[in-house]
Amino acid sequence: MNNLVNVLLPVFLVMGAGYLAAWRGMMTDSAIAGLMKFAQAFAIPVILATQMAKMNVWASFHPAPLISFYAGALAAFGLSVVLARSWLGRAPMDAAAIGFCAMFSNSVLLGLPIMERAYGPGSLDGNIAIIALHSPLLFTVGILAMEVARAEGGSLGAVGMSALRGLFRTPMVIGILVGFALNIWINTTGIDLPRPVWDAMNMIGRAGVPAALFGLGGVLHRYRPEGDGRAIAMVVLGSLVLHPGIGYVLGRWVFHLDTAALRSVVLTASMAPGINAYLFADMYGAAKRVAASAVLVATGLSLLTIWLWLAILP
């Protein structure tokens, strides 16, 4: 329990500092927006590019754990989109943003440190394989859904072209593609980037997570969860219950995963929505209040649900 608090508490403290700064007028709305723009368009894409460039992408790839994890993620997305439209009556773009929040777990900022603290540094191979696909796959699903929603009523060809343009104009997807290209280049030619380039990328990347968390705290001051309780609850249930639950059922009783793989699937799936869930909603200007509040509420509740999963897992 103390380990979980030690991992989660710094996240809340940085977000709380941003909230306090906005509440006391030390950061204006435009300043918070600029900070989020830096995180969304520059720092987070650099983090993704760096991770993809240095990752041994193929080392730990096995289909059964990946299917177990992503089946749960896509189920949480699909169910949340349908319920947001049919039950809550939200607009199509809002529904796509809510669905994205439900499926996008915080696999890096929380998933890796909690896994390492619980089971040791040697337990991370399965997590790395999941993370290698996490942002590229889920951002592709989210962007395609958002572009289809935004082009509602258009022809199939127009919707497809709009989705492709939206996908390849997204800074985070560009960062992933650049990182993948660098990975191929370095491993094929043996020629690495100069050390100063890596150092500069690392400097920008290190600023990304705290900047995004601080900015999110400021956003929470502006977007309070008034009238969005059902949508927030739906995101919390999708991310903390449905996603890891499906991963556990498929991993244990369908694919009969070994203990290490099952731990990686379920614990990664049990993480609350990450900062990218809000950045995605902010990028499209859809369901921003739901996304910001869901990240905060789910991160707090995940302290209990992760503790429960740690007790259930072998």
Side-chain angles (χ1 to χ4, degrees):
M1 186 66 171
N2 288 335
N3 284 338
L4 297 182
V5 172
N6 290 337
V7 171
L8 292 174
L9 186 58
V11 173
F12 278 102
L13 290 177
V14 176
M15 291 170 62
Y19 187 99
L20 181 64
W23 174 48
R24 301 304 299 171
M26 293 181 284
M27 293 284 285
T28 63
D29 287 349
S30 60
I32 292 292
L35 190 62
M36 294 303 288
K37 181 69 173 179
F38 164 74
Q40 174 182 308
F42 297 100
I44 300 295
V46 168
I47 292 174
L48 295 174
T50 304
Q51 289 176 340
M52 285 297 297
K54 295 183 176 182
M55 186 177 292
N56 188 352
V57 176
W58 313 113
S60 301
F61 269 56
H62 303 288
L66 295 176
I67 293 172
S68 300
F69 178 88
Y70 287 106
L74 295 176
F77 173 79
L79 183 61
S80 297
V81 169
V82 170
L83 289 178
R85 289 287 288 140
S86 61
W87 180 42
L88 302 180
R90 303 295 292 244
M93 290 181 67
D94 279 2
I98 290 170
F100 187 87
C101 289
M103 76 168 170
F104 200 95
S105 52
N106 196 343
S107 59
V108 176
L109 186 64
L110 296 181
L112 288 180
I114 288 176
M115 187 75 179
E116 183 174 1
R117 286 172 183 261
Y119 301 115
S123 66
L124 299 180
D125 287 352
N127 294 57
I128 297 300
I130 290 170
I131 290 168
L133 289 178
H134 195 252
S135 288
L137 177 59
L138 298 190
F139 266 106
T140 299
V141 170
I143 290 168
L144 288 172
M146 190 64 80
E147 293 297 333
V148 168
R150 186 156 63 175
E152 192 176 25
S155 67
L156 184 61
V159 169
M161 288 304 298
S162 177
L164 285 175
R165 284 195 299 269
L167 181 64
F168 290 108
R169 282 201 303 258
T170 304
M172 294 177 197
V173 174
I174 293 171
I176 291 165
L177 293 176
V178 169
F180 189 67
L182 283 173
N183 192 303
I184 294 175
W185 167 262
I186 293 169
N187 286 295
T188 301
T189 66
I191 302 174
D192 203 349
L193 294 179
R195 177 65 180 272
V197 175
W198 283 125
D199 289 345
M201 293 175 67
N202 288 332
M203 289 174 66
I204 296 174
R206 282 195 296 269
V209 171
L213 290 173
F214 188 93
L216 181 58
V219 169
L220 286 171
H221 178 258
R222 186 172 53 187
Y223 296 108
R224 296 176 178 84
E226 299 167 353
D228 287 321
R230 291 186 300 171
I232 294 166
M234 191 166 63
V235 171
V236 170
L237 289 173
S239 62
L240 300 186
V241 179
L242 181 63
H243 187 182
I246 290 175
Y248 182 79
V249 169
L250 290 178
R252 181 156 191 177
W253 288 302
V254 176
F255 294 111
H256 305 290
L257 298 180
D258 61 39
T259 299
L262 185 63
R263 289 170 174 169
S264 293
V265 167
V266 176
L267 273 191
T268 307
S270 69
M271 297 299 127
I275 184 65
N276 285 338
Y278 172 76
L279 294 178
F280 179 83
D282 183 61
M283 181 169 60
Y284 284 98
K288 293 194 289 185
R289 186 169 63 186
V290 174
S293 300
V295 170
L296 178 65
V297 173
T299 301
L301 292 176
S302 69
L303 184 66
L304 300 177
T305 57
I306 293 168
W307 188 24
L308 177 62
W309 282 115
L310 286 171
I312 293 174
L313 289 168

